[in-house]
Amino acid sequence: MPLKPTSLVQFIIYLLGLAINAFVLVAVIRFRRELLASRLNQWAASIMLLCFLWSLTRIAISSRYLANSAPSTSASAWFGVVFNIGVQLIFFLNLCLAAERYFTIHPAGRRSFFFLASLMWVAIISVNIWAFESSPSTNGEFPTDFLQVQILTAAISIGYFVSVVLTAFFYIEIYRRTSRILNQNPSLPLLLAQQGNISESTEISLVHMKIEKLLLMQALVCASILILYGPIQIYFLGYAISGANENYISRNLDWHNGASIVVSLDAVVTPLIILYFKRDMQQRAFFWT
């Protein structure tokens, strides 16, 4: 069970995340024909919708801990399912955003990739549900039975590492392919129309600069997954390696609480990154009133 100060910090962060994502989503709903015209914007809006729902559920959970209301075993299991499925969906949607950007310039294999990726994450989420359905939970993060802990940790680790590795691969390939396109067609950069954030009147000398800015957003989103979820992933692996030993939790309580706070920052960081670099969403979000 998280310490009360940790729950308070998480509550404040998720409240901020809820407000930011709600603010942008109102603009997306109002100007949906314009803002949801491209697949990239659809994936970006999906990530913000997930961050909104994630913040809402985590606020409810943090409120319960702040009220010193000890959750029942069934409530703890529900907390665990929500936490792990939420994290896996964040990995999945960030990977889909990276993949969509890649397939914009290299369409071959798009359907196969999204089909296989969806299948994989359905399997991972199914493992999460099974783990908490077949074993009770007392801490809202892990089942109590060691077998379920091992299988759940393996599933979480696969989702984390696959999303990070593939996201990094897609962004490296985007940079390599767009550089080649620009070198081969210096007078007509194909990426101008494909990215949608660069005006047709932009001088060729500024194209590389603008593309680097777009690629920076992609790199930051990838880095946020690695940085924000890395500490909690290490904690999960350590718990499984310890044999689901309860002493591991007490010995690493500070690490766990710090990692939990870092994870909560994603509800704020990811939408802000998307909003900062998606100029069309940014303008509508700030002027929808």
Side-chain angles (χ1 to χ4, degrees):
M1 178 175 173
L3 294 175
K4 198 165 184 176
T6 303
S7 296
L8 179 60
V9 172
Q10 288 181 296
F11 179 84
I12 294 170
I13 293 172
Y14 284 123
L15 197 62
L16 181 60
L18 186 73
I20 293 171
N21 287 286
F23 188 70
V24 179
L25 287 171
V26 168
V28 171
I29 293 170
R30 182 174 179 182
F31 301 101
R32 56 189 176 277
R33 290 186 180 180
E34 173 190 343
L35 296 180
L36 298 180
S38 70
R39 287 198 186 104
L40 287 175
N41 278 10
Q42 290 168 11
W43 285 116
S46 297
I47 291 173
M48 285 187 281
L49 177 60
L50 177 61
C51 287
F52 173 81
L53 296 173
W54 171 255
S55 298
L56 195 62
T57 55
R58 296 303 295 178
I59 285 171
I61 293 171
S62 296
S63 299
R64 186 156 186 172
Y65 285 125
L66 285 172
N68 290 322
S69 177
S72 63
T73 302
S74 59
S76 291
W78 184 82
F79 291 170
V81 169
V82 169
F83 176 80
N84 287 290
I85 289 180
V87 168
Q88 289 303 322
L89 286 176
I90 288 170
F91 293 163
F92 175 69
L93 289 180
N94 276 287
L95 174 59
C96 287
L97 180 63
E100 192 63 59
R101 291 182 180 279
Y102 171 76
F103 289 118
T104 299
I105 60 174
H106 186 70
R110 182 183 180 279
R111 286 188 177 182
S112 297
F113 171 81
F114 281 106
F115 175 75
L116 292 174
S118 299
L119 258 168
M120 178 179 170
W121 258 269
V122 166
I124 291 173
I125 289 171
S126 298
V127 168
N128 278 272
I129 295 171
W130 165 82
F132 287 98
E133 280 290 324
S134 59
S135 173
S137 175
T138 56
N139 55 25
E141 290 179 351
F142 297 107
T144 54
D145 295 342
F146 182 50
L147 175 63
Q148 279 81 346
V149 170
Q150 285 183 310
I151 295 175
L152 178 62
T153 303
I156 292 171
S157 300
I158 289 170
Y160 174 76
F161 288 112
V162 168
S163 64
V164 169
V165 170
L166 286 183
T167 300
F169 166 78
F170 283 133
Y171 289 153
I172 291 169
E173 281 297 297
I174 289 169
Y175 181 81
R176 189 178 66 84
R177 289 174 182 273
T178 52
S179 296
R180 186 172 62 191
I181 289 171
L182 291 173
N183 289 333
Q184 292 174 349
N185 305 277
S187 61
L188 185 62
L190 180 61
L191 198 64
L192 293 180
Q194 293 174 330
Q195 291 289 350
N197 286 350
I198 301 177
S199 169
E200 292 181 1
S201 62
T202 304
E203 294 181 12
I204 299 303
S205 61
L206 298 178
V207 169
H208 282 279
M209 229 162 87
K210 289 182 174 287
I211 290 175
E212 284 177 2
K213 183 179 178 182
L214 291 170
L215 293 176
L216 177 61
M217 181 199 73
Q218 300 161 355
L220 285 172
V221 172
C222 179
S224 72
I225 299 173
L226 181 62
I227 294 170
L228 297 179
Y229 292 92
I232 200 70
Q233 181 64 38
I234 293 170
Y235 177 84
F236 285 167
L237 285 171
Y239 183 67
I241 292 170
S242 74
N245 191 327
E246 290 299 318
N247 290 331
Y248 175 87
I249 295 176
S250 58
R251 288 198 310 268
N252 296 277
L253 190 60
D254 290 340
W255 179 277
H256 169 268
N257 290 329
S260 298
I261 291 173
V262 171
V263 166
S264 66
L265 288 171
D266 189 44
V268 175
V269 172
T270 293
L272 285 180
I273 291 173
I274 292 173
L275 186 62
Y276 180 77
F277 286 98
K278 296 293 291 182
R279 189 62 59 86
D280 51 352
M281 284 190 177
Q282 181 185 125
Q283 289 174 341
R284 289 304 190 186
F286 282 103
F287 297 103
W288 64 266
T289 54

